[in-house]
């Protein structure tokens, strides 16, 4: 299971008939976080005419991703000319856990409904091009306990088999913490049995979403 989010926070600016449209994209985990970003940028750019926004939230610590929470706000622009087009661009790119804020400084020329839709959409597209996307995958964490003299070789063999080794800790024995999609558990059990001749076993942990 997977979905996309932005690769990093960032911004891009376009100009249309002397009006400036600055789109800021920020990674967020919940609706409260998204609204906090909007208010922060509204205060930061206090001299702007409009602070329009759209966000999609799909963050889930465990289990399959829920249906995204979606919101948009035109902030005084004609209804449907700012927030909704911005949200449509986020949908089209397939990104979630993201808030898009477009700050507009009015340039003195009215753009009309079609011009506003294009400008707000293009600003979000430009920002998405700037920051890129990142894949989020659901993984289950497992622990494997192994003797010191076998730990290095096992870690190498696991990595070469495409298994993600998240952490290695040392105590009376070595504990490897690995992550893999939950549906891969049977394959991992077979692989580990083969690599350790049955001497080690998987201890399942929690499921969580990780960036790739």
């Amino acid at each position: 299971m997977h979905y996309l989010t932005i690769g990093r926070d960032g911004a891009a600016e376009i100009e249309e008939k002397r009006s400036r449209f600055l789109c800021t994209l920020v990674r967020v985990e919940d609706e409260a976080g998204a609204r906090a970003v909007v208010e922060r940028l509204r205060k930061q750019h206090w001299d702007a005419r409009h602070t329009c926004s759209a966000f999609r939230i799909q963050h889930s610590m465990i289990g399959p991703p829920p249906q995204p929470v979606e919101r948009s706000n035109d902030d005084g622009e004609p209804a449907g000319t700012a927030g909704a087009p911005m949200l449509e661009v986020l949908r089209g790119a397939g990104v979630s856990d993201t808030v898009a804020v477009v700050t507009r400084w009015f340039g003195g020329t009215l753009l009309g409904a079609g011009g506003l839709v294009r400008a707000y959409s293009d600003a979000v597209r430009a920002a998405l091009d700037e920051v890129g996307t990142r894949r989020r995958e659901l993984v289950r964490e497992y622990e494997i306990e192994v003797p010191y003299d076998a730990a290095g070789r096992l870690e190498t063999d696991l990595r070469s088999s495409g298994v993600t080794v998240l952490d290695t800790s040392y105590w009376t024995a070595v504990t490897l913490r690995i992550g893999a999609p939950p549906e891969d558990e049977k394959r991992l059990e077979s692989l580990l049995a083969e690599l350790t001749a049955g001497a080690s076993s998987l201890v399942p942990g929690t499921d969580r979403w990780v960036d790739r």
Side-chain angles (χ1 to χ4, degrees):
M1 298 179 186
H2 67 274
Y3 64 93
L4 295 178
T5 187
I6 54 175
R8 60 180 177 83
D9 295 350
E13 183 176 317
I14 67 169
E15 185 173 322
E16 184 68 27
K17 295 183 179 178
R18 294 182 305 211
S19 279
R20 293 166 51 210
F21 296 82
L22 172 65
C23 178
T24 303
L25 296 176
V26 179
R27 174 94 168 259
V28 291
E29 293 190 352
D30 53 34
E31 188 168 346
R35 295 189 184 281
V37 171
V38 176
E39 290 309 308
R40 173 175 62 82
L41 291 171
R42 189 190 306 279
K43 292 176 181 177
Q44 179 180 339
H45 302 301
W46 56 269
D47 57 335
R49 176 73 67 88
H50 303 282
T51 305
C52 303
S53 59
F55 60 82
R56 302 182 82 227
I57 309 294
Q58 197 161 353
H59 182 74
S60 176
M61 292 303 295
I62 60 174
Q67 289 298 310
V69 175
E70 300 181 337
R71 301 282 187 272
S72 64
N73 190 295
D74 293 316
D75 192 41
E77 294 282 28
T81 62
M86 292 166 59
L87 181 58
E88 193 57 39
V89 174
L90 295 180
R91 285 182 188 143
V95 295
S96 297
D97 297 352
T98 301
V99 57
V101 182
V102 175
T103 307
R104 181 193 180 189
W105 288 268
F106 184 54
T109 302
L110 296 177
L111 302 182
L116 288 172
V117 169
R118 285 190 298 273
Y120 279 101
S121 299
D122 287 348
V124 177
R125 290 190 189 97
L128 285 171
D129 287 343
E130 180 69 23
V131 304
T133 58
R134 177 174 295 180
R135 180 181 169 112
R136 301 205 82 212
E137 293 182 352
L138 183 67
V139 301
R140 179 168 296 162
E141 294 185 354
Y142 302 90
E143 288 188 351
I144 305 169
E145 190 172 285
V146 62
Y148 272 79
D149 58 359
R153 180 175 179 179
L154 178 59
E155 182 172 350
T156 299
D157 289 344
L158 288 170
R159 291 184 187 277
S160 65
S161 298
V163 177
T164 300
V165 179
L166 302 171
D167 186 39
T168 305
S169 58
Y170 300 87
W171 193 239
T172 55
V174 179
T175 300
L176 301 178
R177 188 165 57 90
I178 66 174
E183 60 269 24
D184 281 2
E185 187 165 325
K186 294 298 183 183
R187 182 184 71 85
L188 285 175
E189 289 175 343
S190 298
L191 176 63
L192 186 62
E194 178 184 340
L195 294 177
T196 67
S200 296
S201 59
L202 288 175
V203 179
T206 58
D207 292 356
R208 66 186 179 98
W209 291 92
V210 299
D211 292 348
R212 294 300 191 197

